[in-house]
Amino acid sequence: MTDDAANSTASKLVQDANAQARTIGVLTKPDRVQIGESMSQWLDVLDGSKFRIGHGYYVVKNNPNPEVNNLVARQEEDQFFDREPWVRTLGAHKDRFGALNLSHKLSKLLNAHIKTSLPQITEQVQLKTTQIIARLNELPEPPKGNLPLKILEKILMFENDLARHLDGGSEKYPFQKHFHAAALRFRSTIAFSYPRLSFADSITAFTASSQLPYRSSATPTPIGSRCSDIIPIDSDDECKATTQKERSPSKRKQPPITPSQTSPTKRSRLDQIPQFVGQEDRVNNNSESSSMVVDRKAPFAKRFTLTGIRTILQDAHIGLPNQIHPEGIKRMVKESLSHWDEPLDELLAFTGQTCLAMVLERASYVFGLWQGTRCYDRLLEICQSFFQEKLRIQTLSAKRVLATECRTALTLNEKAMRTASEEALSALGNAYRNERVKAVLTKQDPEWETNVRDRSKLDKMMASVSDVQLGPNPFLQELRAMADVRGYYECAFSRFVDVVYQGIQTELFAACRYELGEALKEGIGLEEKDAEQRCAVLLAVDPENERLRAELIKQKSNLEKASEWLESQ
């Protein structure tokens, strides 16, 4: 206290509030007290001669350093008041010196005030409790029983039901049957989109050559049935060369040869593809035109020409004759696989739609009793978000597999690739030779196929052209390259389809079976401390009422604790 107390701001506030009778005064900075007039002012204030207030004044000495802890500050304060003028001159008021004495005084006043106000506080607590109870009674009855346990039982039931549908094995659970059919369609699409080869450009050049013979004078060479302009390079049966001994000696007109009439030991690989794809996808030998429709269901397939393949091989030429650089084959392989993303997207889209529909349908069936509650909506929301996330992960995994296949050509299945390549080379060689023979006969007589209706005569005319007349095959290297590409395609597409199919089964479907139940438990919060109240809110027809109920119960509990404390005082 360094100024006149009457002029202090605190004194003015007390007077304005008319609170003199219920005020405690606190005097600070006792280290500035002076002997004389200042000491006299301190004495007048402490004994109540001047500026009297209801509970008198207390003197405290605080350390100006905020880093000093309270215990040290109180010890320093005690040492300060243990000397003059506080011991003798002002000793009559020693019970008012120090922060501890001030704290004790304030505690006594607070306890006295509480005891005086207890009846009123108790009455207010009881009134508030009565109001809360009345409000709770107005709310409709909540769901009864062990609600977390009820929800848990339904989740376990859902897990078992979903597992049965994911496993299949019965007409009651057709999901796997539908997915398997979609996977077979995916495989068929990839299988039927093998790289095609067109002879159009090379045959045009061959026809324009001045070396084409007009008559046959050499020993006839057996030639197979008519072949197409666009050739499926695995169609050994359709383009296979047959000998005269294999032909029927009958003079009657022979029906067109179909794939089912070919040798069973040389079946086309396409025959191994499921029949539901449709026979129209196979090579059509019944067409009367020289061009066979083989790719109406293969819009994605890469089309190569012999001159185009020659350009690719020349770009990768290593400078040695009759050698094919692997980079040329790799380039053709990449182009042959570049369309796989579209059927893959179709499979993933179908899988996502059908599997999610099945999951939500089973969830609606199992949790249908709670339809109209937040619990029902929340459970289906968790199912949908869980599946969408797992489908996103599965899509990324399948895309990585596709990227790996398209990045480089790799396989250890040497035997299968060699067998497929040899079969493709045989088919391509025979097909290309037949096209050159037809070009020779067309040069001799443009109407030869139209004028001669007898199939046996047509065969004889084609057999009349010998290898000597045709000359060497100018595209042998290109045919070998195409055969190697087809051989690798046979290995790669089967591997790719299997990996994608296996991934969906063992990752996406397995996640739905083994992880979705845990996601539902966690999403509902069955293991949380407030699980009972949370489940009550979720299962209530009106969730707002349950939230209000939970809040009122919490307030009522707090008031009951307060009432118990008041009664103990």
Side-chain angles (χ1 to χ4, degrees):
M1 184 177 69
T2 57
D3 298 321
D4 189 345
N7 297 327
S8 69
T9 302
S11 178
K12 186 175 184 307
L13 291 174
V14 171
Q15 292 175 1
D16 293 344
N18 194 24
Q20 289 87 344
R22 52 191 176 89
T23 300
I24 295 179
V26 180
L27 305 179
T28 60
K29 300 180 181 179
D31 53 323
R32 297 188 180 183
V33 65
Q34 298 176 2
I35 303 300
E37 182 180 355
S38 177
M39 178 64 70
S40 175
Q41 184 181 15
W42 279 80
L43 286 170
D44 292 340
V45 171
L46 289 173
D47 63 19
S49 299
K50 292 183 178 181
F51 318 119
R52 180 184 293 273
I53 53 179
H55 298 287
Y57 290 87
Y58 283 77
V59 183
V60 297
K61 169 69 170 65
N62 291 320
N63 193 310
N65 185 359
E67 297 182 359
V68 176
N69 62 46
N70 182 63
L71 178 61
V72 174
R74 300 287 70 81
Q75 291 176 349
E76 293 177 349
E77 188 181 46
D78 291 341
Q79 293 175 0
F80 175 81
F81 287 117
D82 196 25
R83 61 188 181 186
E84 283 296 321
W86 310 102
V87 176
R88 294 180 182 179
T89 306
L90 301 175
H93 308 287
K94 63 180 181 179
D95 59 340
R96 292 177 175 268
F97 299 157
L100 290 178
N101 288 328
L102 174 62
S103 176
H104 292 158
K105 179 63 176 178
L106 291 173
S107 296
K108 289 179 180 180
L109 290 175
L110 178 60
N111 288 333
H113 178 72
I114 290 175
K115 289 180 179 180
T116 303
S117 304
L118 274 180
Q120 182 181 0
I121 295 175
T122 302
E123 182 180 351
Q124 292 177 350
V125 169
Q126 292 175 348
L127 177 61
K128 184 65 175 177
T129 302
T130 302
Q131 292 174 347
I132 289 177
I133 293 175
R135 185 71 182 92
L136 286 170
N137 292 334
E138 294 175 0
L139 296 176
E141 284 293 322
K144 297 180 179 180
N146 190 335
L147 301 182
L149 179 60
K150 289 184 177 180
I151 296 179
L152 178 60
E153 290 175 347
K154 285 290 185 180
I155 291 177
L156 294 176
M157 186 185 302
F158 170 69
E159 284 183 309
N160 293 332
D161 183 70
L162 187 61
R164 287 192 291 269
H165 281 267
L166 288 172
D167 289 344
S170 169
E171 61 180 6
K172 296 181 180 179
Y173 313 114
F175 171 75
Q176 278 291 349
K177 180 180 71 174
H178 297 322
F179 171 71
H180 186 67
L184 288 178
R185 289 194 297 272
F186 169 64
R187 187 183 193 281
S188 298
T189 300
I190 299 292
F192 271 92
S193 59
Y194 53 79
R196 265 56 173 182
L197 180 60
S198 172
F199 296 147
D201 58 342
S202 59
I203 294 301
T204 300
F206 178 73
T207 303
S209 172
S210 60
Q211 299 178 358
L212 264 178
Y214 284 86
R215 292 188 178 278
S216 172
S217 59
T219 303
T221 301
I223 302 295
S225 59
R226 291 179 294 172
C227 293
S228 65
D229 183 22
I230 299 178
I231 302 298
I233 62 176
D234 65 345
S235 55
D236 302 27
D237 300 323
E238 289 80 8
C239 298
K240 180 177 61 176
T242 56
T243 65
Q244 290 284 359
K245 292 182 179 180
E246 293 173 319
R247 302 183 186 279
S248 171
S250 173
K251 298 297 183 179
R252 291 177 298 174
K253 183 177 180 180
Q254 298 296 321
I257 297 176
T258 63
S260 61
Q261 295 173 299
T262 58
S263 171
T265 60
K266 296 288 285 184
R267 290 180 58 203
S268 168
R269 278 178 166 73
L270 295 184
D271 290 334
Q272 302 172 16
I273 295 175
Q275 294 298 316
F276 66 82
V277 177
Q279 289 294 335
E280 65 272 14
D281 292 319
R282 288 161 170 50
V283 178
N284 180 8
N285 268 338
N286 297 329
S287 172
E288 295 192 4
S289 67
S290 61
S291 176
M292 293 187 292
V293 180
V294 296
D295 53 359
R296 288 179 296 171
K297 290 295 184 69
F300 312 122
K302 171 65 179 177
R303 271 79 173 171
F304 289 100
T305 64
L306 288 173
T307 55
I309 296 175
R310 174 166 290 178
T311 300
I312 294 175
L313 298 183
Q314 288 175 346
D315 290 340
H317 186 53
I318 60 175
L320 297 176
N322 300 322
Q323 298 296 318
I324 300 177
H325 196 283
E327 290 301 321
I329 301 297
K330 288 182 180 180
R331 176 180 166 183
M332 293 176 63
V333 166
K334 290 182 180 180
E335 294 181 10
S336 299
L337 310 186
S338 61
H339 63 279
W340 284 2
D341 57 333
E342 295 187 49
L344 176 62
D345 290 341
E346 292 179 2
L347 175 67
L348 292 173
F350 174 86
T351 302
Q353 293 171 1
T354 54
C355 188
L356 178 59
M358 185 271 292
V359 170
L360 295 180
E361 191 272 334
R362 300 323 301 165
S364 299
Y365 172 78
V366 175
F367 304 121
L369 180 65
W370 299 327
Q371 192 167 3
T373 67
R374 284 193 60 195
C375 183
Y376 177 85
D377 296 337
R378 179 60 180 151
L379 288 167
L380 265 65
E381 177 187 342
I382 294 171
C383 288
Q384 183 165 357
S385 60
F386 174 89
F387 182 81
Q388 288 175 343
E389 175 61 17
K390 295 301 179 182
L391 179 62
R392 184 189 68 82
I393 295 173
Q394 187 61 46
T395 300
L396 292 177
S397 176
K399 292 291 186 180
R400 282 195 296 269
V401 174
L402 175 60
T404 300
E405 291 287 356
C406 295
R407 188 177 300 117
T408 186
L410 293 172
T411 184
L412 294 177
N413 198 351
E414 180 182 354
K415 182 178 179 181
M417 181 175 173
R418 182 174 62 252
T419 301
S421 298
E422 290 173 353
E423 292 179 359
L425 181 59
S426 175
L428 285 170
N430 290 334
Y432 183 54
R433 186 184 189 284
N434 287 347
E435 290 299 312
R436 295 170 71 196
V437 168
K438 289 165 58 180
V440 170
L441 296 176
T442 302
K443 186 72 172 181
Q444 296 175 359
D445 180 6
E447 303 297 329
W448 71 280
E449 288 187 279
T450 304
N451 295 334
V452 181
R453 295 294 184 179
D454 191 335
R455 176 62 181 270
S456 62
K457 292 183 178 180
L458 290 175
D459 292 341
K460 288 181 179 180
M461 292 179 67
M462 293 195 61
S464 66
V465 182
S466 67
D467 290 339
V468 175
Q469 292 173 279
L470 293 176
N473 187 343
F475 289 100
L476 182 58
Q477 290 293 88
E478 288 73 15
L479 293 174
R480 288 176 178 172
M482 190 65 186
D484 287 342
V485 171
R486 175 54 185 168
Y488 180 78
Y489 190 95
E490 288 283 339
C491 298
F493 100 80
S494 181
R495 175 180 61 200
F496 172 66
V497 169
D498 285 347
V499 171
V500 171
Y501 177 79
Q502 184 182 49
I504 293 175
Q505 288 280 9
T506 61
E507 296 173 13
L508 179 61
F509 295 166
C512 292
R513 176 171 181 173
Y514 300 110
E515 300 176 23
L516 181 53
E518 291 299 322
L520 291 172
K521 298 172 191 175
E522 182 178 352
I524 295 297
L526 296 182
E527 298 181 358
E528 300 294 332
K529 293 181 179 180
D530 59 343
E532 186 70 35
Q533 293 181 0
R534 183 193 298 269
C535 293
V537 172
L538 290 173
L539 290 174
V541 177
D542 186 353
E544 187 61 34
N545 284 342
E546 290 307 313
R547 283 195 293 269
L548 178 59
R549 188 196 310 277
E551 180 62 29
L552 291 174
I553 291 175
K554 183 178 179 180
Q555 293 180 12
K556 179 173 175 289
S557 176
N558 292 337
L559 289 173
E560 289 173 347
K561 292 179 181 179
S563 180
E564 291 176 1
W565 183 85
L566 290 172
E567 292 176 357
S568 66
Q569 299 303 311

